[in-house]
Amino acid sequence: MRMQYGELLPEGTDVHVACAVLKQAVRDAESPLIDIEALQAWAVATASKKKQPADADGEPLVIPSFKESLLYSTLQIVREKSPRRAFVLARLMYLLGDISSRIEITQMNSHNLSLCLAPSLLQWDPYADAALLVLGRMTAYVMELIDDGREHAEKLRDYCLELQNLASLPY
């Protein structure tokens, strides 16, 4: 199946084809959807962050607000350069958060989704020094973004509407 950018997928398109089209569009973008500066800021913050109290499954006992989340700070970094890219990223994280919240149906949690999309979202270079280490960090970063999208779905939807109005984008 060949698609042109901006062309709608035919109704009834297999979900795997739709995902492949989305992943290819992100991979072929002129610049990464998520700026490397956002990943670097996360790495520095993670290295200096104290371990938060967690339950037996490792889930934090206190969930930060949307404005305290990694997703929000990432969206702000992306938004400074391009409100349109921030809108696309916000909508994508909303979608991925929804997919991961329906794991019984989708069989995809945030880790699975981040393994599939992190290399494309950040345009990973498999030939770079320490490429596998970088990929691991990218995956953990994107997994946290997806988890934030799931945890803050309503606030994220409102943020998308704010960006849509700012950039005069169709929803």
Side-chain angles (χ1 to χ4, degrees):
M1 169 181 256
R2 287 206 164 283
M3 299 293 304
Q4 296 294 321
Y5 287 108
E7 184 179 348
L8 295 177
L9 291 171
E11 192 167 326
T13 300
D14 182 289
V15 68
H16 298 94
V17 172
C19 290
V21 168
L22 175 64
K23 188 174 174 184
Q24 191 64 44
V26 171
R27 185 182 298 130
D28 290 345
E30 288 181 20
S31 60
L33 190 56
I34 302 173
D35 296 306
I36 198 69
E37 293 86 11
L39 175 65
Q40 292 166 338
W42 170 81
V44 168
T46 301
S48 63
K49 188 165 57 170
K50 292 181 179 164
K51 188 90 169 151
Q52 297 293 326
D55 64 15
D57 295 326
E59 294 295 321
L61 293 176
V62 177
I63 297 172
S65 71
F66 176 61
K67 290 199 173 183
E68 297 170 325
S69 71
L70 174 65
L71 179 55
Y72 183 80
S73 63
T74 298
L75 288 169
Q76 293 302 99
I77 290 169
V78 173
R79 182 179 179 170
E80 286 177 17
K81 293 185 178 183
S82 170
R84 286 180 172 270
R85 280 184 36 220
F87 175 77
V88 170
L89 179 60
R91 290 284 301 188
L92 180 61
M93 289 303 135
Y94 182 80
L95 172 66
L96 296 174
D98 187 52
I99 290 169
S100 72
S101 73
R102 301 170 194 263
I103 190 169
E104 305 81 21
I105 298 166
T106 64
Q107 301 297 304
M108 295 294 281
N109 61 20
S110 59
H111 185 252
N112 299 126
L113 292 165
S114 63
L115 284 171
C116 294
L117 290 168
S120 297
L121 290 172
L122 289 143
Q123 293 185 343
W124 174 63
D125 179 3
Y127 304 106
D129 291 338
L132 291 178
L133 177 64
V134 171
L135 180 60
R137 298 241 171 109
M138 286 178 169
T139 301
Y141 172 73
V142 172
M143 186 170 84
E144 192 172 333
L145 292 177
I146 294 169
D147 288 339
D148 284 350
R150 183 183 64 244
E151 294 293 333
H152 302 292
E154 285 185 36
K155 295 283 187 187
L156 183 54
R157 187 178 60 241
D158 294 343
Y159 187 83
C160 288
L161 292 172
E162 177 188 325
L163 285 173
Q164 176 191 8
N165 293 334
L166 178 70
S168 301
L169 298 168
Y171 197 67

Short mmCIF file of all heavy atoms in Angstrom, two decimals, residues 59-107:
data_model
loop_
_atom_site.label_atom_id
_atom_site.label_comp_id
_atom_site.label_asym_id
_atom_site.label_seq_id
_atom_site.Cartn_x
_atom_site.Cartn_y
_atom_site.Cartn_z
N GLU A 59 5.12 0.96 41.09
CA GLU A 59 4.37 2.15 40.68
C GLU A 59 4.50 3.22 41.76
O GLU A 59 4.42 2.91 42.96
CB GLU A 59 2.89 1.82 40.46
CG GLU A 59 2.63 0.89 39.29
CD GLU A 59 3.01 1.52 37.96
OE1 GLU A 59 2.76 2.71 37.77
OE2 GLU A 59 3.58 0.80 37.11
N PRO A 60 4.69 4.49 41.38
CA PRO A 60 4.83 5.54 42.39
C PRO A 60 3.56 5.70 43.22
O PRO A 60 2.45 5.55 42.69
CB PRO A 60 5.11 6.80 41.57
CG PRO A 60 4.67 6.49 40.19
CD PRO A 60 4.74 5.00 40.03
N LEU A 61 3.73 5.98 44.50
CA LEU A 61 2.58 6.17 45.37
C LEU A 61 1.93 7.53 45.14
O LEU A 61 0.74 7.70 45.35
CB LEU A 61 2.99 6.03 46.84
CG LEU A 61 3.44 4.62 47.25
CD1 LEU A 61 3.92 4.62 48.70
CD2 LEU A 61 2.32 3.62 47.07
N VAL A 62 2.72 8.50 44.70
CA VAL A 62 2.21 9.83 44.40
C VAL A 62 2.47 10.12 42.93
O VAL A 62 3.61 10.07 42.47
CB VAL A 62 2.91 10.90 45.27
CG1 VAL A 62 2.41 12.29 44.91
CG2 VAL A 62 2.70 10.62 46.74
N ILE A 63 1.41 10.38 42.20
CA ILE A 63 1.53 10.69 40.78
C ILE A 63 1.61 12.20 40.62
O ILE A 63 0.75 12.92 41.12
CB ILE A 63 0.33 10.12 39.98
CG1 ILE A 63 0.33 8.60 40.10
CG2 ILE A 63 0.39 10.56 38.52
CD1 ILE A 63 -0.89 7.94 39.53
N PRO A 64 2.66 12.70 39.96
CA PRO A 64 2.78 14.15 39.79
C PRO A 64 1.64 14.70 38.93
O PRO A 64 1.04 13.97 38.13
CB PRO A 64 4.12 14.32 39.09
CG PRO A 64 4.43 13.01 38.48
CD PRO A 64 3.72 11.97 39.29
N SER A 65 1.35 15.98 39.10
CA SER A 65 0.33 16.61 38.27
C SER A 65 0.83 16.66 36.83
O SER A 65 2.01 16.44 36.55
CB SER A 65 0.07 18.03 38.78
OG SER A 65 1.17 18.87 38.48
N PHE A 66 -0.08 16.98 35.92
CA PHE A 66 0.30 17.06 34.51
C PHE A 66 1.44 18.07 34.31
O PHE A 66 2.41 17.78 33.61
CB PHE A 66 -0.92 17.44 33.66
CG PHE A 66 -0.61 17.63 32.20
CD1 PHE A 66 -0.09 16.59 31.44
CD2 PHE A 66 -0.82 18.85 31.58
CE1 PHE A 66 0.21 16.76 30.09
CE2 PHE A 66 -0.53 19.03 30.23
CZ PHE A 66 -0.02 17.98 29.49
N LYS A 67 1.35 19.23 34.96
CA LYS A 67 2.38 20.26 34.77
C LYS A 67 3.70 19.88 35.41
O LYS A 67 4.72 20.50 35.11
CB LYS A 67 1.87 21.60 35.26
CG LYS A 67 0.78 22.14 34.35
CD LYS A 67 0.58 23.60 34.50
CE LYS A 67 -0.40 24.05 33.42
NZ LYS A 67 -0.63 25.46 33.42
N GLU A 68 3.72 18.88 36.27
CA GLU A 68 4.96 18.39 36.87
C GLU A 68 5.49 17.16 36.12
O GLU A 68 6.56 16.66 36.45
CB GLU A 68 4.73 17.99 38.33
CG GLU A 68 4.31 19.11 39.22
CD GLU A 68 3.87 18.64 40.60
OE1 GLU A 68 3.27 17.54 40.70
OE2 GLU A 68 4.12 19.36 41.57
N SER A 69 4.76 16.72 35.12
CA SER A 69 5.12 15.47 34.43
C SER A 69 6.22 15.68 33.39
O SER A 69 6.45 16.78 32.90
CB SER A 69 3.88 14.88 33.74
OG SER A 69 3.50 15.66 32.61
N LEU A 70 6.88 14.57 33.08
CA LEU A 70 7.88 14.58 32.02
C LEU A 70 7.25 14.95 30.68
O LEU A 70 7.83 15.69 29.89
CB LEU A 70 8.54 13.20 31.91
CG LEU A 70 9.51 13.01 30.75
CD1 LEU A 70 10.72 13.92 30.91
CD2 LEU A 70 9.93 11.57 30.64
N LEU A 71 6.05 14.46 30.44
CA LEU A 71 5.37 14.76 29.17
C LEU A 71 5.17 16.26 29.01
O LEU A 71 5.46 16.81 27.94
CB LEU A 71 4.04 14.02 29.09
CG LEU A 71 3.21 14.25 27.84
CD1 LEU A 71 4.00 13.94 26.58
CD2 LEU A 71 1.93 13.42 27.89
N TYR A 72 4.71 16.92 30.04
CA TYR A 72 4.48 18.37 29.94
C TYR A 72 5.79 19.11 29.67
O TYR A 72 5.85 19.98 28.80
CB TYR A 72 3.82 18.89 31.22
CG TYR A 72 3.49 20.35 31.15
CD1 TYR A 72 2.35 20.80 30.49
CD2 TYR A 72 4.32 21.30 31.75
CE1 TYR A 72 2.05 22.15 30.42
CE2 TYR A 72 4.02 22.66 31.68
CZ TYR A 72 2.88 23.07 31.02
OH TYR A 72 2.59 24.41 30.94
N SER A 73 6.85 18.76 30.41
CA SER A 73 8.12 19.46 30.19
C SER A 73 8.66 19.20 28.79
O SER A 73 9.22 20.10 28.14
CB SER A 73 9.15 19.10 31.26
OG SER A 73 9.47 17.74 31.23
N THR A 74 8.47 17.98 28.29
CA THR A 74 8.90 17.66 26.92
C THR A 74 8.10 18.46 25.91
O THR A 74 8.65 19.03 24.96
CB THR A 74 8.75 16.15 26.65
OG1 THR A 74 9.59 15.44 27.56
CG2 THR A 74 9.11 15.80 25.22
N LEU A 75 6.79 18.52 26.10
CA LEU A 75 5.94 19.29 25.19
C LEU A 75 6.33 20.77 25.18
O LEU A 75 6.31 21.41 24.13
CB LEU A 75 4.47 19.12 25.56
CG LEU A 75 3.86 17.76 25.26
CD1 LEU A 75 2.50 17.61 25.91
CD2 LEU A 75 3.78 17.52 23.76
N GLN A 76 6.72 21.30 26.33
CA GLN A 76 7.13 22.70 26.40
C GLN A 76 8.42 22.93 25.61
O GLN A 76 8.56 23.94 24.91
CB GLN A 76 7.31 23.15 27.85
CG GLN A 76 6.00 23.19 28.63
CD GLN A 76 4.98 24.10 28.01
OE1 GLN A 76 4.08 23.66 27.30
NE2 GLN A 76 5.08 25.38 28.27
N ILE A 77 9.36 22.00 25.70
CA ILE A 77 10.61 22.11 24.94
C ILE A 77 10.33 22.07 23.44
O ILE A 77 10.84 22.88 22.67
CB ILE A 77 11.60 21.00 25.36
CG1 ILE A 77 12.11 21.25 26.78
CG2 ILE A 77 12.77 20.91 24.37
CD1 ILE A 77 12.88 20.09 27.38
N VAL A 78 9.48 21.12 23.03
CA VAL A 78 9.14 20.99 21.61
C VAL A 78 8.33 22.20 21.14
O VAL A 78 8.56 22.72 20.03
CB VAL A 78 8.36 19.67 21.36
CG1 VAL A 78 7.85 19.59 19.93
CG2 VAL A 78 9.23 18.47 21.70
N ARG A 79 7.43 22.67 21.99
CA ARG A 79 6.56 23.80 21.64
C ARG A 79 7.35 25.08 21.36
O ARG A 79 6.97 25.88 20.51
CB ARG A 79 5.57 24.02 22.78
CG ARG A 79 4.57 25.12 22.56
CD ARG A 79 3.64 25.20 23.75
NE ARG A 79 2.68 26.27 23.60
CZ ARG A 79 1.64 26.43 24.39
NH1 ARG A 79 1.43 25.59 25.38
NH2 ARG A 79 0.82 27.42 24.20
N GLU A 80 8.45 25.28 22.08
CA GLU A 80 9.28 26.47 21.85
C GLU A 80 9.78 26.54 20.41
O GLU A 80 9.89 27.61 19.84
CB GLU A 80 10.48 26.47 22.80
CG GLU A 80 10.12 26.81 24.23
CD GLU A 80 11.32 26.72 25.15
OE1 GLU A 80 12.48 26.73 24.66
OE2 GLU A 80 11.10 26.65 26.37
N LYS A 81 10.07 25.38 19.84
CA LYS A 81 10.58 25.33 18.47
C LYS A 81 9.46 25.26 17.45
O LYS A 81 9.56 25.83 16.37
CB LYS A 81 11.52 24.14 18.29
CG LYS A 81 12.80 24.29 19.09
CD LYS A 81 13.75 23.18 18.80
CE LYS A 81 15.04 23.39 19.58
NZ LYS A 81 16.03 22.40 19.31
N SER A 82 8.40 24.51 17.79
CA SER A 82 7.32 24.32 16.82
C SER A 82 6.03 23.90 17.52
O SER A 82 5.91 22.75 17.95
CB SER A 82 7.71 23.26 15.79
OG SER A 82 6.61 22.91 15.00
N PRO A 83 5.06 24.81 17.61
CA PRO A 83 3.76 24.43 18.18
C PRO A 83 3.10 23.28 17.41
O PRO A 83 2.42 22.44 18.00
CB PRO A 83 2.92 25.70 18.08
CG PRO A 83 3.91 26.80 18.04
CD PRO A 83 5.11 26.24 17.32
N ARG A 84 3.34 23.20 16.11
CA ARG A 84 2.76 22.11 15.30
C ARG A 84 3.34 20.76 15.72
O ARG A 84 2.61 19.79 15.86
CB ARG A 84 3.01 22.33 13.81
CG ARG A 84 2.16 23.41 13.22
CD ARG A 84 2.45 23.57 11.73
NE ARG A 84 1.52 24.48 11.13
CZ ARG A 84 0.35 24.11 10.60
NH1 ARG A 84 0.01 22.86 10.58
NH2 ARG A 84 -0.45 25.01 10.08
N ARG A 85 4.66 20.70 15.90
CA ARG A 85 5.28 19.45 16.35
C ARG A 85 4.81 19.09 17.75
O ARG A 85 4.59 17.92 18.05
CB ARG A 85 6.80 19.56 16.30
CG ARG A 85 7.33 19.35 14.90
CD ARG A 85 8.83 19.35 14.76
NE ARG A 85 9.56 18.78 15.85
CZ ARG A 85 10.70 19.28 16.33
NH1 ARG A 85 11.22 20.37 15.83
NH2 ARG A 85 11.33 18.68 17.30
N ALA A 86 4.66 20.09 18.61
CA ALA A 86 4.16 19.83 19.96
C ALA A 86 2.74 19.27 19.90
O ALA A 86 2.39 18.35 20.65
CB ALA A 86 4.20 21.11 20.81
N PHE A 87 1.93 19.79 18.99
CA PHE A 87 0.56 19.30 18.82
C PHE A 87 0.58 17.84 18.37
O PHE A 87 -0.14 17.00 18.93
CB PHE A 87 -0.19 20.17 17.80
CG PHE A 87 -1.56 19.68 17.47
CD1 PHE A 87 -2.61 19.88 18.35
CD2 PHE A 87 -1.81 19.02 16.27
CE1 PHE A 87 -3.89 19.43 18.04
CE2 PHE A 87 -3.07 18.57 15.95
CZ PHE A 87 -4.13 18.77 16.84
N VAL A 88 1.40 17.53 17.39
CA VAL A 88 1.49 16.15 16.89
C VAL A 88 1.97 15.22 18.00
O VAL A 88 1.40 14.13 18.20
CB VAL A 88 2.42 16.05 15.65
CG1 VAL A 88 2.70 14.61 15.28
CG2 VAL A 88 1.81 16.81 14.48
N LEU A 89 2.98 15.63 18.74
CA LEU A 89 3.49 14.82 19.83
C LEU A 89 2.44 14.63 20.92
O LEU A 89 2.27 13.51 21.43
CB LEU A 89 4.76 15.44 20.42
CG LEU A 89 5.39 14.69 21.59
CD1 LEU A 89 5.78 13.27 21.19
CD2 LEU A 89 6.59 15.46 22.12
N ALA A 90 1.74 15.68 21.28
CA ALA A 90 0.69 15.58 22.31
C ALA A 90 -0.41 14.62 21.87
O ALA A 90 -0.85 13.77 22.64
CB ALA A 90 0.12 16.96 22.62
N ARG A 91 -0.86 14.74 20.62
CA ARG A 91 -1.90 13.83 20.09
C ARG A 91 -1.40 12.39 20.06
O ARG A 91 -2.13 11.46 20.40
CB ARG A 91 -2.32 14.27 18.69
CG ARG A 91 -3.10 15.55 18.63
CD ARG A 91 -4.50 15.37 19.06
NE ARG A 91 -5.11 14.38 18.17
CZ ARG A 91 -6.38 14.08 18.13
NH1 ARG A 91 -7.20 14.68 18.92
NH2 ARG A 91 -6.83 13.16 17.32
N LEU A 92 -0.14 12.19 19.67
CA LEU A 92 0.43 10.85 19.62
C LEU A 92 0.50 10.25 21.02
O LEU A 92 0.14 9.09 21.22
CB LEU A 92 1.81 10.89 18.97
CG LEU A 92 2.52 9.53 18.87
CD1 LEU A 92 1.72 8.54 18.02
CD2 LEU A 92 3.92 9.72 18.29
N MET A 93 0.94 11.02 22.01
CA MET A 93 1.03 10.50 23.37
C MET A 93 -0.35 10.23 23.95
O MET A 93 -0.54 9.29 24.72
CB MET A 93 1.82 11.46 24.28
CG MET A 93 3.29 11.49 23.96
SD MET A 93 4.05 9.84 24.06
CE MET A 93 5.02 9.84 22.58
N TYR A 94 -1.33 11.02 23.56
CA TYR A 94 -2.72 10.77 23.97
C TYR A 94 -3.17 9.41 23.41
O TYR A 94 -3.73 8.58 24.12
CB TYR A 94 -3.62 11.91 23.49
CG TYR A 94 -5.06 11.75 23.91
CD1 TYR A 94 -5.47 12.11 25.19
CD2 TYR A 94 -6.01 11.25 23.03
CE1 TYR A 94 -6.80 11.96 25.58
CE2 TYR A 94 -7.33 11.10 23.41
CZ TYR A 94 -7.72 11.46 24.69
OH TYR A 94 -9.03 11.31 25.07
N LEU A 95 -2.90 9.19 22.13
CA LEU A 95 -3.26 7.93 21.48
C LEU A 95 -2.52 6.75 22.11
O LEU A 95 -3.13 5.73 22.45
CB LEU A 95 -2.94 8.00 19.99
CG LEU A 95 -3.07 6.70 19.20
CD1 LEU A 95 -4.52 6.24 19.15
CD2 LEU A 95 -2.51 6.87 17.80
N LEU A 96 -1.21 6.88 22.31
CA LEU A 96 -0.43 5.78 22.88
C LEU A 96 -0.82 5.51 24.33
O LEU A 96 -0.84 4.35 24.76
CB LEU A 96 1.06 6.09 22.77
CG LEU A 96 1.60 6.18 21.35
CD1 LEU A 96 3.06 6.63 21.36
CD2 LEU A 96 1.44 4.87 20.59
N GLY A 97 -1.14 6.56 25.08
CA GLY A 97 -1.63 6.37 26.45
C GLY A 97 -2.93 5.59 26.46
O GLY A 97 -3.14 4.70 27.29
N ASP A 98 -3.81 5.91 25.51
CA ASP A 98 -5.08 5.20 25.40
C ASP A 98 -4.86 3.73 25.01
O ASP A 98 -5.47 2.83 25.58
CB ASP A 98 -5.98 5.89 24.38
CG ASP A 98 -7.38 5.30 24.34
OD1 ASP A 98 -8.01 5.18 25.41
OD2 ASP A 98 -7.84 4.95 23.23
N ILE A 99 -3.96 3.49 24.07
CA ILE A 99 -3.65 2.12 23.66
C ILE A 99 -3.10 1.32 24.84
O ILE A 99 -3.53 0.19 25.09
CB ILE A 99 -2.64 2.11 22.48
CG1 ILE A 99 -3.32 2.63 21.21
CG2 ILE A 99 -2.06 0.71 22.25
CD1 ILE A 99 -2.36 2.92 20.07
N SER A 100 -2.19 1.92 25.60
CA SER A 100 -1.59 1.19 26.73
C SER A 100 -2.59 0.99 27.87
O SER A 100 -2.46 0.04 28.64
CB SER A 100 -0.34 1.90 27.24
OG SER A 100 -0.64 3.09 27.92
N SER A 101 -3.61 1.84 27.96
CA SER A 101 -4.61 1.66 29.01
C SER A 101 -5.57 0.52 28.69
O SER A 101 -6.29 0.05 29.57
CB SER A 101 -5.40 2.96 29.23
OG SER A 101 -6.31 3.19 28.16
N ARG A 102 -5.58 0.08 27.45
CA ARG A 102 -6.46 -1.02 27.02
C ARG A 102 -5.65 -2.28 26.72
O ARG A 102 -5.90 -2.97 25.74
CB ARG A 102 -7.24 -0.58 25.78
CG ARG A 102 -8.09 0.64 26.01
CD ARG A 102 -8.63 1.16 24.70
NE ARG A 102 -9.18 2.48 24.84
CZ ARG A 102 -10.46 2.75 25.02
NH1 ARG A 102 -11.33 1.77 25.08
NH2 ARG A 102 -10.87 3.98 25.13
N ILE A 103 -4.71 -2.58 27.59
CA ILE A 103 -3.77 -3.68 27.37
C ILE A 103 -4.48 -5.02 27.19
O ILE A 103 -4.00 -5.88 26.45
CB ILE A 103 -2.72 -3.75 28.49
CG1 ILE A 103 -1.61 -4.73 28.11
CG2 ILE A 103 -3.35 -4.08 29.83
CD1 ILE A 103 -0.42 -4.69 29.00
N GLU A 104 -5.63 -5.20 27.83
CA GLU A 104 -6.35 -6.46 27.68
C GLU A 104 -6.77 -6.70 26.23
O GLU A 104 -6.86 -7.82 25.77
CB GLU A 104 -7.62 -6.49 28.56
CG GLU A 104 -7.39 -6.22 30.02
CD GLU A 104 -7.26 -4.74 30.36
OE1 GLU A 104 -7.71 -3.87 29.59
OE2 GLU A 104 -6.65 -4.45 31.40
N ILE A 105 -7.02 -5.62 25.50
CA ILE A 105 -7.44 -5.70 24.10
C ILE A 105 -6.24 -5.58 23.17
O ILE A 105 -6.07 -6.36 22.23
CB ILE A 105 -8.46 -4.58 23.78
CG1 ILE A 105 -9.72 -4.76 24.64
CG2 ILE A 105 -8.81 -4.57 22.30
CD1 ILE A 105 -10.62 -3.56 24.65
N THR A 106 -5.39 -4.58 23.43
CA THR A 106 -4.30 -4.26 22.50
C THR A 106 -3.07 -5.15 22.67
O THR A 106 -2.26 -5.25 21.75
CB THR A 106 -3.85 -2.80 22.66
OG1 THR A 106 -3.30 -2.62 23.98
CG2 THR A 106 -5.01 -1.84 22.44
N GLN A 107 -2.90 -5.72 23.86
CA GLN A 107 -1.71 -6.51 24.19
C GLN A 107 -0.44 -5.66 24.09
O GLN A 107 0.64 -6.18 23.87
CB GLN A 107 -1.59 -7.75 23.28
CG GLN A 107 -2.78 -8.70 23.37
CD GLN A 107 -2.94 -9.29 24.75
OE1 GLN A 107 -2.03 -9.90 25.26
NE2 GLN A 107 -4.10 -9.11 25.35
#
